[in-house]
Amino acid sequence: MPRLENKVAVITGGSNGLGQAIAARMAEEGASIVVLDVDPAGEKAVTKLGVSGNESRFIQCDVTQEGQIKRAMEEAHNAFGRIDILVNNAGIEGPNKTSEHYELADWERVFAVNSTGVFLCTKHAVPLMRDGGGSIVNISSIYGIVGGGDVAAYHASKAAVRVMTKNDALAFAADNIRANSVHPGFIPTAMVDRFVEDTGLEMRDARPMLDDLHPLGGMGTPDDIAWGVVYLASDEARWVTGAELVIDGGYTAR
Ligand code: NAP
């Protein structure tokens, strides 16, 4: 039996990168998929999820805009009759600067997407999940656990998500709504391309350095993360809440 049969999953930032891979694996496992993203490419991406019997939908939505989120959650719930899974994946890296050099507006923008976006999506999904229980999976980062000495706002915003997840796990346990965080190491996506560009390096020079940070064979793949999210969303994880799933090829094992 597919691991997510009859479940409805809302995935933010599902037009590209990790979110797209998470959507694909969840669809394969029998879930209906609703992608919320600012990038309209998600419209096409969801049509490619096509596993027979599954349904999918793209809703253009900015996770910093509460009105858009409320409408999107209601649209998802009206379309499929339930929301079982919320994957808070949308995120931005922000400028690659230390705290000393960070502009306040840049800091607030990173927090708006990476932390406030998680709060707002959770706020508007929970009332619609309460009937049947559910699973919230928040995509944090290894940089929500350890420092890297760079991208100051990214670290702080991802760390906020880590404890927000634990607090939500406690707050919603009585409703059988679980909340867990996932902490990926480096995965080659557009985000990492931009991060490398911001350092002034060429990817061909940066890649070996990034690979070396991960003892288990270099950088990971989007699927390495997607399978962890499938597990946390599934009933196999029925007794798992408030946990941190680190998927980083050993980066933080040192
Ligand atoms: P990505 O390739 O840049 O994809 C992120 C997606 O989120 C894009 O479709 C983006 O749209 C969308 N998005 C950005 N701001 C949004 C907003 N305000 N509202 C709705 N959607 C928005 O990034 P990724 O690498 O897949 O990262 C996905 C998540 O994993 C992020 O939370 C990231 O911090 C986390 N993560 C990534 C890595 C990694 O190495 N890749 C490691 C650890 C954690 P646009 O493209 O139009 O901006």
Side-chain angles (χ1 to χ4, degrees):
M1 182 175 122
R3 298 160 74 189
L4 302 177
E5 194 167 34
N6 299 325
K7 293 189 190 292
V8 177
V10 174
I11 303 167
T12 70
S15 295
N16 298 289
L18 304 190
Q20 195 179 41
I22 292 164
R25 293 300 165 222
M26 286 193 158
E28 269 178 32
E29 292 297 333
S32 298
I33 306 294
V34 182
V35 165
L36 272 46
D37 200 302
V38 283
D39 185 351
E43 188 81 66
K44 201 167 171 197
V46 294
T47 63
K48 293 184 182 160
L49 296 174
V51 177
S52 68
N54 286 339
E55 296 173 276
S56 60
R57 174 174 290 237
F58 171 72
I59 303 172
Q60 196 162 16
C61 176
D62 182 335
V63 299
T64 68
Q65 301 301 313
E66 184 165 15
Q68 291 183 28
I69 294 164
K70 186 170 187 300
R71 281 193 295 279
M73 293 298 174
E74 285 168 359
E75 185 180 331
H77 192 266
N78 289 341
F80 297 106
R82 53 193 293 142
I83 296 176
D84 304 285
I85 299 160
L86 170 64
V87 184
N88 282 310
N89 163 79
I92 58 173
E93 69 284 4
N96 186 1
K97 295 177 181 168
T98 62
S99 310
E100 183 187 4
H101 299 294
Y102 230 90
E103 296 296 337
L104 178 59
D106 290 334
W107 180 276
E108 288 177 342
R109 176 66 192 157
V110 172
F111 265 79
V113 179
N114 292 3
S115 303
T116 309
V118 174
F119 148 61
L120 289 173
C121 289
T122 301
K123 172 180 174 179
H124 290 287
V126 161
L128 304 173
M129 295 174 105
R130 200 163 254 133
D131 273 356
S135 172
I136 298 168
V137 183
N138 293 330
I139 308 300
S140 175
S141 170
I142 49 172
Y143 290 152
I145 301 175
V146 297
D150 53 5
V151 284
Y154 185 80
H155 282 78
S157 65
K158 290 293 180 180
V161 167
R162 176 173 169 260
V163 177
M164 195 192 321
T165 306
K166 293 180 193 303
N167 202 55
D168 286 345
L170 295 173
F172 306 127
D175 299 306
N176 196 28
I177 297 173
R178 300 181 291 105
N180 295 286
S181 55
V182 172
H183 301 265
F186 278 85
I187 314 289
T189 64
M191 176 180 281
V192 172
D193 289 346
R194 290 188 300 264
F195 170 77
V196 168
E197 202 181 322
D198 210 11
T199 64
L201 288 171
E202 294 290 327
M203 184 52 95
R204 67 171 175 276
D205 299 321
R207 175 87 202 209
M209 289 188 260
L210 292 174
D211 280 340
D212 279 352
L213 297 170
H214 306 79
L216 203 60
M219 283 201 273
T221 69
D223 268 350
D224 292 324
I225 309 308
W227 287 123
V229 178
V230 165
Y231 164 67
L232 290 171
S234 77
D235 293 339
E236 295 160 14
R238 59 168 283 279
W239 208 48
V240 180
T241 199
E244 304 168 17
L245 181 54
V246 176
I247 308 177
D248 69 350
Y251 184 118
T252 55
R254 289 187 174 89

